[in-house]
Amino acid sequence: MLKLASVVTAYGNTEVLHGVSLHVRAGEVVALVGANGAGKSTLLNTISGIVPARRGSVLFDGKEIGRAAADRIVRLGLSHVPEGRQLFGPLSVRDNLLLGAYSRGRADTRAHLHDDLEHVLDTFPRLRERLEQRAGTLSGGEQQMLAIARGLMARPKLLLFDEPSMGLAPRVMEEIFRAIGELRHQGLTVLLVEQNARWALRIADRGYVLENGRLVLDGTAEEMLDNREVQRAYLGKGYREVWE
Amino acid sequence: MGWISNTLQSLISGIAVGSTYAIVALGFTIIFSSTEVVNFAQGEFVMIGAMISYWLTYDDFGLRWPLYVVVPIAVAVSAVVGLLLGWVLMRPRKDASPISLIIITVGASVLLQGIAGNQWGKDAVPVPPFTAVDPPPLDLGAIFHNGSLFPVSVQSQQLWVMGLMVLLVIGLTLFFNKTMVGKALRAVAVNKHGARLVGINVSRLVMGAFALSAAMGALAGAAIAPISTGNYAMGAMMGLKGFAAAIVGGLGNFTGSIVAGVLLGVLETCGAGFLPPEFAQYKDAFAFIILLLVLFISPNGIFALWRRKKAVRA
């Protein structure tokens, strides 16, 4: 469904991604693990067209999107739930959700929109109570739910998640990950960036490790969880635990 | 009791003039909140509205079209000019800072003024009022007893200007709160990054915002010119006063722009009414004295003090 080949991305003269190749098959949940500053967010921003790829190709559903505009990529069925949520704070929760469906345009009927709204509200019942509230007044967990729900309103085939657990209490995080698991059962394909590698790999089928703008490791989620290098670097196990 | 009449008279003309400042200030606000650019060509749209209305109605040029045709044309031409300006500004957008874009708008303002001066000459030109008949003098005294106490005459054009401002404000409120495009524009103003991610074509929407504020400016111009006369250079003063109103209202604040615009108009005309005649030419300075005062006392606009209190409570 998604295929990156030797993608190079740079901000000005600073190259951040030095030739990244990866793929995500339909129906898969793929985790992208890496330390701060490894280029994970840049990789997602390249896929969703916020930052254009300088070289290499990004194929989504067989179409080249490496240098396409962000709004076109959303219309093709790729939603990006960004780091920091990027909600529209002064607008109501309902308006945030409806704007999530902006890319679908006027061709889509009101009835469809209403059904989808109901659907995401069933997935995140807490948002239903807050529908008329300003998005900026929600708690961190609710904002993350809203960001995911807004991404879903575009009816994506592929959903990119950037650090969904950031700044959330463990209990809320659990709820978010349960929702992501649910989405996958509904047939959604997911590319997940997460600092908390253990959580990410637990719900993922496969994983990649990104280091300094290069992919250094890939494998199934189980392989990754067992890999000593991954354990040491990203699962928070000390040298002693791993090597002794 | 002449002074009461005079005050009421000044108040009415002040509200009328202030309505146009308010519309121009709203134009600044719409552009600023979606781009962080202060569009110094905003006043030129007022000039375009006024001059095209003049051009197509007076028969020096063989044209004598009715106003209900001319005003929409003036508004449409201005909207196209606004669209072009927006397009130009969105092109170097990649890493251009707001400051360099603001300089582009200053350039556009000079250019438009030059073209207008060439096309229509440097003299003040008359623009016909929307309706020829003025309402009979309004007399508040007559409502209470039989005498003529405070006679006030209102020009029909003043009613037009105020009415248009009210309609425009209602229309904009509905647009920004009820339509998807309006909400998308607010989304762009709040969070451009988020707007891109939900698939909003930000530069296209910003160009639309330019067209909208240009159309509003032209409407204000066509409406005020019958009172103030038109002039190729009127845009500079209009733009500055609208800008003053936008700043006094707290740049980016919708309600603030309206209130400050009307307030500015009222203070200006009342001030002129009370000043001895030899100081009458300082009328235009009024707006800027007020601007300076507000900037000294509350640099984020007259509503900032109140808002800060509210923020503490929330």
Side-chain angles (χ1 to χ4, degrees):
Chain A
M1 172 168 270
L2 181 73
K3 197 167 173 209
L4 277 68
S6 316
V7 168
V8 174
T9 305
Y11 297 107
N13 292 325
T14 322
E15 202 175 285
V16 180
L17 299 176
H18 319 284
V20 172
S21 304
L22 61 77
H23 66 274
V24 180
R25 284 184 286 264
E28 252 185 342
V29 174
V30 172
L32 187 64
V33 179
N36 259 339
K40 297 173 307 219
S41 294
T42 304
L43 183 56
L44 291 195
N45 283 336
T46 306
I47 298 171
S48 62
I50 300 291
V51 189
R54 194 152 287 186
R55 269 177 280 134
S57 88
V58 182
L59 285 178
F60 175 60
D61 257 357
K63 291 184 198 79
E64 173 61 48
I65 58 166
R67 271 157 289 272
D71 54 295
R72 204 191 125 221
I73 293 175
V74 178
R75 276 199 298 277
L76 288 173
L78 195 156
S79 249
H80 182 173
V81 180
E83 190 178 2
R85 291 131 208 179
Q86 311 296 344
L87 297 172
F88 309 121
L91 275 67
S92 70
V93 170
R94 182 195 295 277
D95 284 348
N96 270 272
L97 291 172
L98 291 176
L99 282 167
Y102 186 85
S103 60
R104 286 156 58 181
R106 252 158 272 163
D108 228 324
T109 60
R110 252 162 217 274
H112 274 154
L113 258 171
H114 182 80
D115 289 349
D116 287 0
L117 193 63
E118 285 300 310
H119 184 223
V120 298
L121 291 176
D122 287 341
T123 315
F124 298 103
R126 277 219 250 168
L127 294 180
R128 192 188 291 279
E129 302 156 27
R130 309 246 184 272
L131 214 45
E132 306 307 329
Q133 226 168 298
R134 286 168 166 225
T137 64
L138 301 185
S139 72
E142 286 162 350
Q143 290 197 10
Q144 188 59 54
M145 291 175 200
L146 178 55
I148 297 173
R150 185 181 70 178
L152 289 173
M153 287 298 289
R155 284 209 179 172
K157 293 177 234 168
L158 171 63
L159 204 53
L160 309 180
F161 278 110
D162 201 347
E163 303 279 2
S165 76
M166 191 152 68
L168 299 185
R171 248 195 48 235
V172 185
M173 209 168 114
E174 214 161 309
E175 202 172 329
I176 300 279
F177 273 87
R178 189 189 45 72
I180 296 176
E182 219 170 276
L183 295 176
R184 149 225 208 121
H185 283 298
Q186 293 166 16
L188 206 64
T189 310
V190 173
L191 177 58
L192 171 68
V193 160
E194 181 55 64
Q195 281 218 319
N196 192 321
R198 194 187 309 274
W199 278 90
L201 289 171
R202 207 170 282 166
I203 61 164
D205 301 300
R206 288 189 306 117
Y208 289 93
V209 175
L210 190 67
E211 238 174 60
N212 296 322
R214 284 191 181 82
L215 288 177
V216 292
L217 201 71
D218 69 281
T220 66
E222 293 83 53
E223 280 168 12
M224 304 265 291
L225 281 168
D226 287 340
N227 184 298
R228 299 203 152 177
E229 201 46 41
V230 173
Q231 285 181 359
R232 183 190 59 74
Y234 304 109
L235 298 181
K237 293 191 179 167
Y239 267 110
R240 193 160 294 165
E241 249 177 281
V242 177
W243 295 109
E244 285 178 7
Chain B
M1 295 305 238
W3 66 274
I4 296 186
S5 273
N6 284 346
T7 308
L8 286 174
Q9 197 77 62
S10 302
L11 205 61
I12 285 169
S13 31
I15 294 174
V17 178
S19 297
T20 54
Y21 299 162
I23 296 172
V24 178
L26 283 176
F28 275 110
T29 296
I30 291 171
I31 299 298
F32 178 79
S33 52
S34 51
T35 59
E36 276 120 62
V37 167
V38 176
N39 175 19
F40 278 107
Q42 194 66 47
E44 305 311 324
F45 300 132
V46 178
M47 180 274 290
I48 290 175
M51 296 311 276
I52 290 185
S53 300
Y54 147 74
W55 194 36
L56 298 181
T57 42
Y58 276 85
D59 54 0
D60 311 25
F61 300 92
L63 293 169
R64 217 173 182 163
W65 294 354
L67 270 172
Y68 59 82
V69 179
V70 167
V71 175
I73 291 178
V75 168
V77 169
S78 180
V80 170
V81 174
L83 200 68
L84 279 174
L85 179 60
W87 181 77
V88 168
L89 290 181
M90 286 296 103
R91 286 306 101 182
R93 185 71 224 196
K94 263 188 190 148
D95 14 38
S97 69
I99 287 293
S100 43
L101 296 180
I102 288 171
I103 298 301
I104 297 181
T105 71
V106 173
S109 164
V110 174
L111 176 70
L112 288 171
Q113 216 181 94
I115 294 174
N118 248 335
Q119 177 65 42
W120 296 302
K122 315 259 162 169
D123 299 327
V125 296
V127 177
F130 290 3
T131 41
V133 188
D134 283 333
L138 192 71
D139 192 341
L140 293 180
I143 302 170
F144 300 111
H145 60 92
N146 294 330
S148 170
L149 215 47
F150 320 122
V152 177
S153 60
V154 182
Q155 298 171 32
S156 63
Q157 193 62 25
Q158 289 173 331
L159 295 178
W160 273 108
V161 177
M162 297 181 226
L164 278 177
M165 201 270 286
V166 171
L167 282 181
L168 211 55
V169 168
I170 294 173
L172 285 175
T173 307
L174 290 176
F175 172 69
F176 281 115
N177 289 302
K178 298 284 174 219
T179 71
M180 230 33 225
V181 178
K183 285 175 189 173
L185 208 49
R186 283 171 69 201
V188 169
V190 176
N191 188 335
K192 249 179 225 81
H193 184 49
R196 274 201 191 95
L197 288 172
V198 298
I200 293 172
N201 186 334
V202 173
S203 41
R204 197 192 303 168
L205 220 55
V206 165
M207 281 160 62
F210 268 92
L212 174 66
S213 69
M216 283 162 46
L219 191 62
I224 197 69
I227 300 172
S228 69
T229 73
N231 174 337
Y232 82 106
M234 70 191 285
M237 199 41 93
M238 266 298 182
L240 281 175
K241 291 202 183 142
F243 178 59
I247 295 280
V248 169
L251 199 48
N253 184 332
F254 195 86
T255 325
S257 296
I258 302 163
V259 174
V262 174
L263 202 66
L264 218 57
V266 169
L267 287 173
E268 196 180 280
T269 34
C270 288
F274 290 119
L275 282 175
E278 60 266 34
F279 289 111
Q281 71 259 42
Y282 288 110
K283 187 189 114 188
D284 284 334
F286 246 76
F288 304 106
I289 294 171
I290 293 159
L291 172 64
L292 287 177
L293 278 179
V294 168
L295 290 181
F296 279 134
I297 298 163
S298 171
N300 293 319
I302 41 177
F303 292 103
L305 294 168
W306 172 74
R307 213 181 315 138
R308 206 176 306 142
K309 263 186 229 144
K310 209 171 81 173
V312 170
R313 248 183 281 133

